[in-house]
Amino acid sequence: MIPENKDRKKIRYAEISLHLLIWAVIFNLPLLTSENSAHTFQDYLRMWTVPVFFVIVFYINYHILIHRFLFSGKIGGFFITNLVLFFLCSLAMEELKYLTLPPIDDNPFSKSTSPQHFYIRNFIALAMTTAVSVAIVTTKQWLRSEELRKELESDRIKSELLNLKNQLNPHFFFNTLNNIYGLIIQDPQKAQETMHQLGKLMRYLLYESNERFVPLSKEIDFTKSYVELMKLRMTPNVRVDSTFPEKSTGIAIAPLLFISLIENSFKHGVNLDKPAFIEMVMSVTESKQLTFNIKNTSFPKSDTDRSGSGIGLDNLKKRLTLLYPEKHTITFTSGGNYFECTITLDL
């Protein structure tokens, strides 16, 4: 929160400095445009009379009337209050100009212009000042609303990603425990090896996958370990081939993106009594575009088997949409006896 407060203080100071600069220009504009370089103190006061009332009207609207009336939907009250304010300011302005500070005798406006003209001119000038105030406050309000909307959207994305990850980890853990359960009776030694592999995987899940992005090299190591763990319970008629980049230095990726696809391959692509294959290839181009392709034989589960309910694939699509908006593609291809998926990411 401290950096945020510092940033807001800087913005506040910049806003005050900008206001002071603009009013300084407005107050000295008559001096800058005047052909007569010699002015008395009375001349300065006379020239600054109108800008002073501009300031009054501007900040009464800026700090009070716009928020109390306009943003509350009381448009009629806003216009009536401003009309009264314009009248009082115009009256004070003229009294100050013509009584306290009488105009110079050779000023043509003092002889040829009627008081009604000055009131109309003042009303128009003050109305324009109010319009500028409304425009600035409305813009500030919109920027604040947009900033709040982005913060809420960011919080929503973080919350949704956390929920998706919380769904993914138990799903993965549940499937791995099923594999271990099947090995305990068949081959206790392999079951021990599997538990060791599972320990390494769980360390990654606990200490690495909580980050939004992780080094690609660590994700590859995790994926390789998972594949080796799954291969422990495969029969010789199941062929599992995998290819991963040897060098991935400096590349980061969202964790656990591909595990759902690999899980699906071992669930639906393997029949221990029939020939089956799983092929996965990951590649990274020099422009940091990552491609992951996985292809496997297809042995669909029965309708009563809920182990492959599709939760993992649904989560994968949602995570890709949230983490790589407009920077990813995902395609599925299925034939009579195979299933294939390809994901591309612009990292």
Side-chain angles (χ1 to χ4, degrees):
M1 296 298 295
I2 294 177
E4 183 178 355
N5 289 336
K6 286 184 177 180
D7 289 341
R8 290 186 176 180
K9 284 183 178 179
K10 289 180 180 179
I11 293 174
R12 181 61 178 166
Y13 291 148
E15 182 182 351
I16 293 174
S17 300
L18 182 61
H19 280 235
L20 292 175
L21 177 62
I22 292 174
W23 287 118
V25 172
I26 292 176
F27 270 79
N28 289 282
L29 191 60
L31 299 177
L32 298 175
T33 58
S34 176
E35 296 180 358
N36 184 9
S37 60
H39 295 282
T40 65
F41 181 70
Q42 188 181 48
D43 293 332
Y44 286 119
L45 292 180
R46 183 182 297 108
M47 286 186 290
W48 287 345
T49 299
V50 174
V52 164
F53 285 96
F54 284 175
V55 171
I56 293 172
V57 170
F58 180 89
Y59 285 109
I60 287 178
N61 276 279
Y62 190 86
H63 291 293
I64 301 175
L65 299 184
I66 295 174
H67 296 279
R68 181 169 296 181
F69 292 101
L70 197 59
F71 287 171
S72 300
K74 303 174 183 178
I75 299 177
F78 176 76
F79 281 107
I80 293 173
T81 305
N82 267 291
L83 287 176
V84 174
L85 179 63
F86 294 169
F87 176 77
L88 295 176
C89 287
S90 297
L91 183 63
M93 197 183 306
E94 298 307 317
E95 290 295 323
L96 186 61
K97 286 178 63 178
Y98 291 105
L99 296 179
T100 308
L101 297 171
I104 302 173
D105 291 339
D106 59 357
N107 187 343
F109 290 103
S110 63
K111 298 178 181 179
S112 60
T113 308
S114 64
Q116 290 82 2
H117 173 81
F118 284 107
Y119 276 99
I120 294 174
R121 182 197 64 186
N122 292 338
F123 264 65
I124 294 174
L126 295 174
M128 293 176 63
T129 303
T130 302
V132 172
S133 180
V134 170
I136 294 175
V137 174
T138 303
T139 302
K140 284 183 60 179
Q141 187 75 6
W142 179 82
L143 291 175
R144 288 173 182 168
S145 300
E146 188 68 11
E147 181 182 0
L148 179 60
R149 185 192 66 79
K150 290 181 179 179
E151 290 179 0
L152 293 175
E153 180 68 13
S154 177
D155 291 342
R156 183 191 68 80
I157 290 176
K158 290 179 181 178
S159 177
E160 188 164 348
L161 284 173
L162 181 61
N163 290 336
L164 293 174
K165 193 174 289 184
N166 288 338
Q167 291 176 15
L168 177 63
N169 292 349
H171 189 219
F172 159 76
F173 190 65
F174 174 77
N175 293 330
T176 307
L177 286 178
N178 276 341
N179 294 337
I180 295 174
Y181 176 78
L183 284 174
I184 289 176
I185 299 175
Q186 298 175 9
D187 192 336
Q189 181 63 33
K190 279 191 176 182
Q192 290 182 7
E193 295 176 7
T194 304
M195 285 298 298
H196 179 68
Q197 291 285 343
L198 179 62
K200 293 196 298 184
L201 296 180
M202 293 308 295
R203 277 195 295 272
Y204 180 83
L205 290 173
L206 288 173
Y207 300 112
E208 302 288 347
S209 67
N210 289 328
E211 300 295 328
R212 185 177 174 88
F213 295 98
V214 297
L216 178 59
S217 57
K218 291 186 177 181
E219 183 69 12
I220 291 175
D221 290 341
F222 169 82
T223 305
K224 287 180 177 179
S225 297
Y226 177 80
V227 171
E228 290 302 315
L229 184 151
M230 297 301 294
K231 286 168 64 176
L232 288 174
R233 66 185 299 259
M234 295 296 103
T235 57
N237 62 304
V238 179
R239 177 173 57 86
V240 180
D241 296 325
S242 59
T243 303
F244 295 94
E246 295 182 0
K247 296 181 180 180
S248 57
T249 306
I251 298 176
I253 191 173
L256 308 177
L257 273 183
F258 310 114
I259 194 67
S260 298
L261 292 173
I262 300 173
E263 281 184 320
N264 250 28
S265 295
F266 282 100
K267 275 192 184 71
H268 303 286
V270 171
N271 187 318
L272 299 180
D273 300 324
K274 298 179 181 180
F277 71 88
I278 298 175
E279 299 173 350
M280 62 190 79
V281 179
M282 180 186 293
S283 62
V284 180
T285 65
E286 293 183 358
S287 60
K288 293 186 177 181
Q289 184 183 70
L290 182 147
T291 301
F292 181 76
N293 175 268
I294 188 165
K295 184 177 181 179
N296 55 267
T297 46
S298 179
F299 299 96
K301 302 292 184 180
S302 63
D303 293 338
T304 58
D305 187 349
R306 300 303 298 166
S307 63
S309 58
I311 294 176
L313 292 181
D314 289 341
N315 284 350
L316 172 61
K317 293 176 184 178
K318 290 179 181 178
R319 291 189 72 204
L320 287 173
T321 301
L322 292 171
L323 292 168
Y324 297 96
E326 300 181 0
K327 291 186 177 182
H328 78 277
T329 61
I330 179 169
T331 58
F332 299 98
T333 305
S334 58
N337 59 351
Y338 77 93
F339 175 84
E340 184 176 7
C341 178
T342 302
I343 295 176
T344 60
L345 301 175
D346 294 325
L347 302 177

